Amino acid sequence: MLVYTVISGILFGLFCSLMGIGLNLIFGVMRFVNLAHGDFLMLGAFGAYFAYTLYGISPAISVVINMIVMIVIGALIYYAFVPRLLRSRDPEMLSLIFFFGISQVIEALSVIFFTNNPRSIDWSALGTANYQLFGQSFQESWVVSALISVIAIVLVYFYLYHTKLGYATRAVMGSLDEAASSGINVHRVSAWAMGIGLALAAAAGALSPFFLGSITPNMGSDITTTSFSIIIIGSLGNPLGTVIGGLIYGLSSMFMQSYIPSWANLVPYLLLFLILLFKPSGLLGKVVRHA
Amino acid sequence: MMKTPFRVLSRIAVSGLIASAMTLSGLAAANAASTKAPKQITIGTLYAGSGSFADSSLPQYDGLKFWVNQMNAKGGVYVKAYHKKIPLKLIAYNDQSSSTTAATQYNQLITQNKVNLLVSDFGSVLTSVAVPIAQEHKMLLIDPTGTGGSFFTPNNPYIALTSLPTSGVWPTSLADYLIKNHYKRVALIYDQNDFDQSQATTLLAKLKNAKITPVYNNSVPTSTSNYSVLIHSIMATNPDAVIEFGYNTNDIPFLQSVSASGAHFKMLFTIFPGQLLSNIEQNVGVSGLAGTYTYPTPPLLVYNKVNYGLGMNAFTKEFQKSTHSAPNFLDVAGYNAGLVIQKTLENTTGLGQLQLRKALYTFSGKMFTLDGLFKLSPTGAQIGETLPVAQLIKSGNGLKVKVVYSK
């Protein structure tokens, strides 16, 4: 039981890391909280659902399709709205209102187009095998989803630490003004960050039916809350801290479900409370500030 | 004998009082006779256009709208108090599955729109806020599917449940079935809401009476959608019957997780396949549902011999013609609430809320609709309809329902 819980927690935690990492990337670069994060994830989930049910496209392929589409959408949203927000007196507050509005619009349109009925992808879409890990049997969809999450997270790491654009992104995350004065095209970097942030959300969306059960147009707000908890646990503004946050969240959720299921809902709020009480900057907060 | 001035005065006073009383009563009678019938009967209701209850609330609302349209096409509903047909007007607000929003809107329907009849939204969660508001405003609440047992108390005459028995009664047949078939290792998992908790309480009490202690008994938050670890915990207890009480948004991931885990239980029971079969089948697949058990409701239970409203087959035909979609149980529940309102207005002596309630009891136990027998307890709870236990059996590419136990 304990071993099963720990491994489930790690698999679920890796997915949670992917769920939150895009939100943290956008916050790190632009200092905006994307309140529509969960709604973009939901769009990714429905994209994968329709790709699978209408054309038989595997959700693993949908992860890639979702990412490409969302990078474009993210860049378009950035150039259409964000520079105007940045010119305002209080861009952070306005961005909250803006993304809340986007969230409401996405949800309303999704209800119209997708209806409110819960949908789900056949659990065998990512394979029917059962994997034996430390003597415990795990469904293939969980193992494959966790592996895809790891690949996506490694790609984010590679982008941030081994590409020119990634260096520029980290510079903007450190100080927007200093990055701009050193000749970095802040808008270009931010547009990429926005696109990649939404792409990661949509990638998580394609895998969400396997971890979160059925998908509905109104799932977004809960996911935004959970993602926000995850990134605060890791550290706001540090995308890789999200991995730690995700793993802690995943393990805590599974332990609660195994041993005190009635209280499982409290996990994100309890963790948030503890982190804010004992380490308000997040577990990797120090690393970010002095990087 | 000479009359004293005092006696004369008192006789004059008494005569005056009698005359005044006669005049007043005459005026009252004249007023009652001359009271004009309202131009329309307003029915206020809420629906969840989005949120977790939308997929159940919208069909219930569709069923009610279907009934209103049917009545208006015939010139309105007959109201006994006015001896004429009066058109209906449905006023509906979208509560977005939020009980806080619903509370405000129920108040608005009563105090601002001044509706004649109040119909609650789907389910116990969205009805729970309506119950005290209706009681406070002395407004009869027509409750189609809010089956929480705590809504029905002897000191609240302002509620009437139109479909389904109170949720505490639901597991009666299920418990009997489990006991009769000698299931000794029962695992129970249920959601933390009034609807599921009251069922769990009843089931546990009945099992206890039969000296059966569940091998697994845990509640989970209603928002639970990841059941993999929970199913693993259940499997570890080696049960022969697994009972899951949840809403459809729980049943779908639960059944999927069971399929994905490769777990096999001798008996697996969930609630909502009996109410929203096509929706759950679409998500879980025939193989995920085949062999499982549920409470079947209309249209899975077909009542064509009715003494009021359309029978099941006629309703299905008319509903499909009108909405271009096949009805599910909640469409039936919405329509059935309309039928109860129709019969109430046909029997009422006025539009006063207690008059409406009195009218309900004139046909309680006598009206049989496509939803079954309509019978109210003294507290307004539904006791006419019963929920049998059925097994879903694979038949060709689909599923058929086989009732295995009925009380």
Side-chain angles (χ1 to χ4, degrees):
Chain A
M1 187 76 180
L2 179 70
V3 178
Y4 186 89
T5 304
V6 171
I7 298 173
S8 296
I10 292 170
L11 296 176
F12 184 51
L14 288 168
F15 166 75
C16 290
S17 305
L18 178 63
M19 202 166 85
I21 199 166
L23 180 66
N24 214 355
L25 182 67
I26 291 172
F27 181 84
V29 173
M30 283 168 267
R31 293 290 183 262
F32 288 171
V33 177
N34 175 12
L35 288 181
H37 177 78
D39 298 280
F40 286 107
L41 188 147
M42 175 269 292
L43 287 178
F46 273 97
Y49 168 80
F50 286 115
Y52 180 74
T53 50
L54 298 179
Y55 306 107
I57 297 171
S58 163
I61 307 291
S62 291
V63 168
V64 180
I65 299 170
N66 277 355
M67 290 184 84
I68 294 167
V69 172
M70 277 298 172
I71 283 178
V72 176
I73 291 175
L76 287 175
I77 289 176
Y78 180 85
Y79 282 116
F81 301 106
V82 178
R84 291 161 199 259
L85 287 175
L86 289 173
R87 284 196 295 272
S88 67
R89 265 192 196 174
D90 190 355
E92 285 173 16
M93 177 52 79
L94 275 182
S95 71
L96 276 179
I97 298 167
F98 171 73
F99 283 113
F100 178 72
I102 292 259
S103 164
Q104 295 297 302
V105 170
I106 291 175
E107 187 180 330
L109 290 176
S110 302
V111 168
I112 293 168
F113 289 112
F114 308 146
T115 77
N116 275 299
N117 289 335
R119 317 282 180 102
S120 53
I121 298 176
D122 184 3
W123 62 271
S124 60
L126 283 177
T128 53
N130 271 329
Y131 284 92
Q132 294 294 321
L133 300 172
F134 297 95
Q136 304 292 320
S137 177
F138 292 89
Q139 61 208 59
E140 190 169 358
S141 57
W142 272 46
V143 178
V144 172
S145 297
L147 274 176
I148 293 171
S149 302
V150 170
I151 292 167
I153 292 163
V154 168
L155 285 175
V156 173
Y157 176 82
F158 184 80
Y159 155 71
L160 283 175
Y161 290 90
H162 295 284
T163 66
K164 209 174 165 185
L165 191 62
Y167 297 145
T169 306
R170 283 166 56 216
V172 175
M173 287 164 86
S175 166
L176 193 142
D177 293 335
E178 284 175 23
S181 63
S182 65
I184 291 172
N185 185 340
V186 172
H187 283 311
R188 184 169 158 267
V189 169
S190 301
W192 271 103
M194 180 73 134
I196 293 169
L198 298 192
L200 291 165
L207 305 174
S208 64
F210 304 104
F211 285 104
L212 306 178
S214 51
I215 55 170
T216 57
N218 55 67
M219 65 194 274
S221 54
D222 280 350
I223 285 171
T224 304
T225 310
T226 305
S227 303
F228 201 65
S229 305
I230 289 167
I231 66 173
I232 288 178
I233 295 164
S235 167
L236 263 176
N238 179 354
L240 295 180
T242 311
V243 179
I244 306 290
L247 286 170
I248 290 174
Y249 177 80
L251 282 163
S252 311
S253 291
M254 291 300 133
F255 268 99
M256 288 291 259
Q257 277 209 344
S258 291
Y259 298 105
I260 330 170
S262 312
W263 297 81
N265 238 16
L266 281 181
V267 170
Y269 307 103
L270 199 64
L271 288 174
L272 207 58
F273 175 75
L274 290 173
I275 285 292
L276 291 176
L277 199 63
F278 296 109
K279 200 155 188 325
S281 59
L283 291 175
L284 296 188
K286 203 174 172 185
V287 178
V288 174
R289 291 185 178 184
H290 300 288
Chain B
M1 196 171 78
M2 275 207 44
K3 291 174 183 172
T4 63
F6 176 75
R7 274 191 179 172
V8 172
L9 276 174
S10 40
R11 282 193 180 180
I12 290 169
V14 171
S15 312
L17 277 171
I18 291 167
S20 307
M22 285 175 72
T23 313
L24 281 174
S25 63
L27 278 173
N31 267 344
S34 65
T35 300
K36 281 186 182 171
K39 282 183 183 169
Q40 55 195 10
I41 301 285
T42 51
I43 299 171
T45 193
L46 304 185
Y47 65 93
S50 58
S52 52
F53 298 113
D55 54 320
S56 300
S57 170
L58 286 171
Q60 182 180 299
Y61 178 50
D62 286 342
L64 186 65
K65 268 194 304 187
F66 171 79
W67 169 77
V68 169
N69 293 337
Q70 267 213 331
M71 286 293 103
N72 283 340
K74 292 174 185 169
V77 64
Y78 178 77
V79 185
K80 187 188 174 187
Y82 303 104
H83 304 292
K84 64 184 283 194
K85 279 188 175 182
I86 302 174
L88 295 168
K89 185 184 177 188
L90 188 61
I91 301 173
Y93 295 118
N94 179 0
D95 59 34
Q96 298 169 35
S97 298
S98 156
S99 47
T100 318
T101 309
T104 310
Q105 292 172 335
Y106 283 124
N107 261 315
Q108 189 172 335
L109 286 168
I110 297 169
T111 59
Q112 305 299 311
N113 301 111
K114 299 188 190 306
V115 294
N116 299 113
L117 286 140
L118 184 66
V119 180
S120 58
D121 198 343
F122 160 80
S124 297
V125 175
L126 296 172
T127 302
S128 63
V129 289
V131 177
I133 292 170
Q135 189 179 5
E136 188 189 333
H137 291 277
K138 300 191 184 332
M139 187 88 198
L140 179 68
L141 182 68
I142 302 291
D143 169 14
T145 48
T147 56
S150 58
F151 304 162
F152 308 94
T153 52
N155 61 352
N156 180 14
Y158 296 100
I159 187 166
L161 180 58
T162 60
S163 292
L164 299 172
T166 49
S167 45
V169 180
W170 288 32
T172 309
S173 297
L174 173 64
D176 289 349
Y177 180 78
L178 288 168
I179 295 161
K180 211 175 170 185
N181 287 279
H182 310 292
Y183 285 101
K184 297 286 180 196
R185 299 185 65 81
V186 178
L188 172 65
I189 181 167
Y190 58 97
D191 285 358
Q192 290 159 352
N193 58 61
D194 196 56
F195 170 65
D196 295 310
Q197 280 171 325
S198 52
Q199 291 192 63
T201 306
T202 305
L203 182 66
L204 289 169
K206 285 189 167 286
L207 291 178
K208 193 181 172 188
N209 284 344
K211 296 187 171 51
I212 298 172
T213 307
V215 291
Y216 182 93
N217 172 20
N218 270 308
S219 64
V220 293
T222 307
S223 58
T224 302
S225 61
N226 183 335
Y227 283 90
S228 291
V229 170
L230 291 163
I231 285 167
H232 189 81
S233 304
I234 292 170
M235 281 166 71
T237 63
N238 194 25
D240 47 16
V242 177
I243 314 296
E244 189 259 339
F245 291 148
Y247 282 108
N248 59 327
T249 43
N250 306 105
D251 291 357
I252 291 170
F254 177 80
L255 288 165
Q256 276 192 327
S257 295
V258 170
S259 298
S261 68
H264 292 288
F265 305 111
K266 197 172 156 194
M267 182 192 182
L268 179 62
F269 181 94
T270 52
I271 296 172
F272 275 80
Q275 294 186 27
L276 300 167
L277 184 59
S278 62
N279 175 249
I280 295 184
E281 190 183 320
Q282 202 177 17
N283 283 285
V284 179
V286 170
S287 59
L289 279 168
T292 67
Y293 292 76
T294 189
Y295 304 125
T297 56
L300 297 180
L301 294 176
V302 181
Y303 296 124
N304 281 319
K305 286 182 183 173
V306 297
N307 60 21
Y308 201 75
L310 297 171
M312 195 66 237
N313 290 349
F315 172 74
T316 304
K317 198 176 157 191
E318 290 293 315
F319 190 82
Q320 275 179 321
K321 208 166 104 185
S322 166
T323 63
H324 308 291
S325 62
N328 60 34
F329 168 70
L330 294 155
D331 294 305
V332 173
Y335 174 68
N336 191 55
L339 291 180
V340 172
I341 293 171
Q342 183 182 339
K343 188 79 172 169
T344 305
L345 292 171
E346 280 177 8
N347 286 279
T348 187
T349 51
L351 291 180
Q353 297 300 307
L354 289 177
Q355 288 172 304
L356 293 171
R357 178 185 156 89
K358 199 176 166 190
L360 275 168
Y361 283 88
T362 60
F363 58 90
S364 168
K366 297 172 195 161
M367 185 171 87
F368 201 96
T369 70
L370 75 175
D371 203 21
L373 178 67
F374 173 79
K375 190 176 180 184
L376 289 177
S377 75
T379 57
Q382 180 57 232
I383 50 173
E385 296 175 22
T386 54
L387 288 170
V389 179
Q391 189 175 22
L392 299 170
I393 296 178
K394 195 176 177 191
S395 169
N397 291 327
L399 291 160
K400 68 175 184 183
V401 177
K402 184 187 170 192
V403 174
V404 292
Y405 188 84
S406 182
K407 204 167 172 71

